[in-house]
């Protein structure tokens, strides 16, 4: 039996899946429907001095028919009154006492922070999010990422919030920085109980090439917005892992950025997140996606011997290293399963045009020469002429063929012995350890 309950920086929830502070968590009615669907927590859409939003405000990237693979918004914080929001927060927490309700905040002066924090706590908030991440509109007013990009300001405002709050304070970090670590450490020095990352990435989603205006268009003009969705996951994973492996950091992380399914959530947890937040996928698919997330996470935990979320948190962090500490003498080559290969030759094109020219059509001169030299094997004794041939003497194990192959498990990267003991670049430079001969260096 697995237990999905989570305690992220003192904020408890029945599972690690939270709605991120965004349109899906804009109102009490929405958050309550989300809780009914199975979400463990919600970070309320950011409260502050109510603003006026523009129309239109969203943009999306379609990649090979997948709509919304990348998503962009130029929406700001709540445009609803604080009184309405606080009433709905109170009603929601009263109705769902075991679910996490985190209130996101963004104001300017110390007195404004003091007032809005007190009102949030009085409304029943389990925790507070300090939104130091918004990359458009609010940063132009000295808030959002304008705070998140300045560690000193981040630390100072965080310390105010911690002083005034009776519940845990989590700082939402901006990815629009050179190195996330100083900003996470600033939040820690300010007394934050945890951090949330990443917020959206400053971007222009595209251009209307007929009207000559960037998207989304607002009366003939546009502006940069915040990029999110599945496409940002690698950036988010990197920043989460950077903080998780920093010994001086040591406070909980709620991971955000491109979580679309249970596998994404597992990746964030293994790299140090105690909870995971979702926005874009809910906007595109609806609240019920959490059902598959819960089921998938439960099954993963059962099959991998985990009984609690805490046992998973950070499990992959020790394996996140610097490039200079990787074994340069570890070697793999591509192996194509002739029983699974459909003969599409996507691997041939990718290898020839984008990699190291080691995969060849079976009857080509290069393939025949490699077979004759004994550095390649003719598949199935030549019974399937569409199966390409890998010249192992030239294969550098780059993985490109495996990435483009449309058949799961058809191409595997197989470790091979080369007679060289493990050696990193740092060891080579400092100790003179021998490195294996290069391959594919034409």
């Amino acid at each position: 039996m697995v237990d999905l309950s989570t305690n992220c920086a003192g904020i408890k929830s029945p599972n690690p899946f939270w709605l991120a502070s965004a349109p899906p968590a804009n109102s009490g009615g929405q958050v309550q429907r989300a809780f009914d669907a199975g979400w463990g927590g919600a970070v309320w859409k950011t409260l502050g001095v109510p603003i006026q939003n523009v129309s239109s405000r969203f943009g999306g990237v379609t990649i090979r028919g997948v709509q919304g693979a990348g998503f962009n918004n130029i929406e700001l914080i709540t445009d609803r009154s604080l009184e309405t929001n606080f009433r709905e927060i109170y009603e929601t927490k009263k109705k769902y006492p075991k679910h996490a309700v985190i209130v996101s905040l963004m104001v300017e002066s110390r007195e404004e922070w003091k007032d809005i924090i007190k009102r949030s706590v009085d409304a029943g908030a389990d925790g507070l999010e300090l939104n130091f991440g918004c990359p458009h509109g609010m940063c132009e007013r000295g808030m959002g990422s304008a705070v998140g990009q300045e560690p000193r300001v981040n630390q100072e405002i965080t310390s105010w919030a911690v002083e005034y709050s009776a519940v845990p304070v989590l700082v939402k970090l901006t990815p629009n920085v050179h190195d996330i670590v100083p900003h996470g450490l600033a939040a820690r020095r300010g007394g934050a109980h945890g951090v949330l990352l990443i917020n959206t990435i400053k971007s222009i989603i595209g251009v209307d090439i007929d009207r000559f205006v960037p998207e989304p268009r607002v009366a003939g003009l546009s502006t940069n917005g915040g990029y999110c969705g599945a496409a940002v996951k690698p950036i988010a994973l990197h920043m989460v892992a950077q903080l998780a492996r920093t010994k001086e950091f040591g406070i909980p992380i709620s991971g955000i950025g491109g979580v679309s399914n249970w596998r994404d959530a597992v990746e964030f947890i293994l790299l140090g997140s105690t909870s995971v937040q979702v926005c874009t996928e809910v906007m595109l698919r609806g609240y019920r996606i959490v059902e598959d997330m819960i089921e998938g996470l439960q099954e993963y935990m059962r099959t991998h011997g985990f009984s609690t979320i805490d046992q998973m948190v950070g499990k992959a962090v020790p394996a996140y290293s610097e490039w200079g500490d990787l074994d340069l003498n570890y070697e793999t080559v591509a192996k194509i399963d002739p029983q699974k290969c459909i003969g599409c030759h996507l691997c041939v094109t990718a290898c020839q045009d984008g990699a190291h020219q080691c995969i060849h059509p079976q009857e080509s001169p290069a393939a025949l020469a490699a077979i004759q030299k004994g550095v390649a094997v003719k598949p199935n004794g030549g019974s399937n002429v569409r199966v390409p041939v890998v010249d192992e003497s030239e294969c550098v194990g780059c993985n490109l063929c495996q990435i483009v192959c449309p058949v799961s498990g058809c191409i595997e990267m197989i470790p091979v012995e080369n007679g060289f003991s493990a050696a990193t670049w740092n060891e080579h430079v400092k100790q003179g350890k021998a490195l294996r001969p290069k391959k594919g260096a034409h």
Side-chain angles (χ1 to χ4, degrees):
M1 189 69 177
V2 299
D3 180 7
L4 296 187
S5 64
T6 304
N7 185 332
C8 182
I11 302 171
K12 297 179 180 180
S13 59
N15 62 59
F17 299 110
W18 296 357
L19 292 178
S21 176
N26 185 51
S27 69
Q30 289 174 282
V31 172
Q32 291 175 30
R33 284 194 291 115
F35 288 166
D36 287 338
W39 292 88
V43 185
W44 211 272
K45 186 168 173 63
T46 303
L47 307 187
V49 178
I51 50 75
Q52 175 71 43
N53 272 306
V54 296
S55 177
S56 60
R57 60 188 75 165
F58 299 143
V61 174
T62 299
I63 301 175
R64 295 178 182 171
V66 178
Q67 292 181 303
F71 199 81
N72 171 282
N73 83 90
I74 56 174
E75 185 169 285
L76 304 181
I77 64 173
T78 185
D79 54 8
R80 305 163 72 237
S81 73
L82 291 178
E83 289 73 20
T84 298
N85 276 293
F86 285 130
R87 183 184 71 250
E88 293 178 4
I89 290 168
Y90 175 81
E91 293 169 349
T92 300
K93 187 59 191 176
K94 186 175 181 180
K95 187 175 180 181
Y96 298 86
K98 295 183 179 180
H99 289 69
V101 176
I102 299 93
V103 179
S104 179
L105 304 174
M106 184 194 300
V107 288
E108 293 186 73
S109 71
R110 183 166 186 157
E111 283 305 308
E112 286 177 306
W113 280 106
K114 183 177 182 180
D115 176 69
I116 203 167
I117 287 171
K118 183 180 186 303
R119 296 176 73 180
S120 300
V121 173
D122 289 347
D126 295 301
L128 304 177
E129 171 191 279
L130 311 185
N131 186 344
F132 295 166
C134 183
H136 54 272
M138 305 309 293
C139 57
E140 296 158 14
R141 309 177 196 190
M143 294 178 281
S145 62
V147 173
Q149 290 170 334
E150 295 291 341
R152 181 186 59 79
V153 182
N154 170 342
Q155 178 179 340
E156 182 175 4
I157 296 179
T158 299
S159 70
W160 299 346
V162 172
E163 177 184 347
Y164 299 139
S165 178
V167 297
V169 173
L170 292 82
V171 172
K172 192 170 192 176
L173 299 176
T174 176
N176 300 295
V177 293
H178 170 66
D179 181 0
I180 197 67
V181 173
H183 304 276
L185 292 177
R188 188 186 190 284
R189 288 193 302 271
H193 301 89
V195 297
L196 314 93
L197 73 157
I198 61 174
N199 207 318
T200 54
I201 302 167
K202 185 169 284 193
S203 62
I204 291 178
I205 197 70
V207 178
D208 185 322
I209 62 174
D210 296 312
R211 295 183 175 90
F212 317 119
V213 180
E215 299 282 6
R217 292 179 289 107
V218 181
L221 296 175
S222 189
T223 187
N224 57 268
Y227 192 53
C228 53
V232 310
K233 187 183 78 169
I235 299 169
L237 288 174
H238 169 235
M239 291 189 170
V240 165
Q242 276 189 298
L243 285 179
R245 73 172 184 174
T246 299
K247 293 181 180 179
E248 306 92 327
F249 180 67
I251 56 177
I253 297 170
S254 182
I256 319 168
V259 177
S260 302
N261 52 54
W262 69 265
R263 295 185 66 92
D264 297 333
V266 168
E267 292 177 22
F268 272 91
I269 294 169
L270 294 177
L271 284 177
S273 299
T274 306
S275 67
V276 291
Q277 298 183 36
V278 185
C279 165
T280 306
E281 195 67 13
V282 172
M283 294 177 71
L284 297 173
R285 313 281 179 241
Y287 294 127
R288 288 187 60 186
I289 62 169
V290 77
E291 297 174 7
D292 288 338
M293 291 181 173
I294 291 172
E295 183 179 348
L297 178 57
Q298 288 174 328
E299 182 62 19
Y300 174 84
M301 292 174 68
R302 278 193 292 266
T303 57
H304 288 74
F306 296 114
S307 57
T308 67
I309 296 294
D310 284 347
Q311 293 172 349
M312 295 173 57
V313 175
K315 193 77 173 176
V317 172
Y320 172 36
S321 177
E322 294 296 334
W323 191 94
D325 293 323
L326 301 179
D327 181 7
L328 295 179
N329 287 339
Y330 176 75
E331 185 177 353
T332 62
V333 297
K335 294 284 188 179
I336 301 174
D337 185 340
Q339 302 305 316
K340 295 182 178 179
C341 178
I342 61 175
C344 66
H345 282 204
L346 289 175
C347 61
V348 174
T349 300
C351 186
Q352 292 294 320
D353 295 354
H356 294 279
Q357 301 82 54
C358 69
I359 303 181
H360 310 282
Q362 194 177 130
E363 300 301 326
S364 68
L368 296 175
I371 293 170
Q372 188 174 15
K373 287 190 291 184
V375 294
V377 178
K378 195 168 186 178
N380 279 356
S383 62
N384 186 346
V385 296
R386 290 292 297 175
V387 179
V389 169
V390 179
D391 181 347
E392 295 185 10
S393 69
E394 291 293 325
C395 179
V396 302
C398 73
N399 297 52
L400 181 60
C401 57
Q402 188 181 49
I403 292 169
V404 301
C405 181
V407 180
S408 177
C410 178
I411 301 178
E412 299 290 345
M413 309 309 297
I414 307 299
V416 295
E417 291 293 333
N418 55 27
F420 285 80
S421 60
T424 69
W425 176 253
N426 290 334
E427 291 171 335
H428 173 66
V429 172
K430 295 175 183 178
Q431 303 170 26
K433 280 197 172 183
L435 302 182
R436 61 185 172 89
K438 296 177 183 178
K439 294 165 62 177
H442 304 295

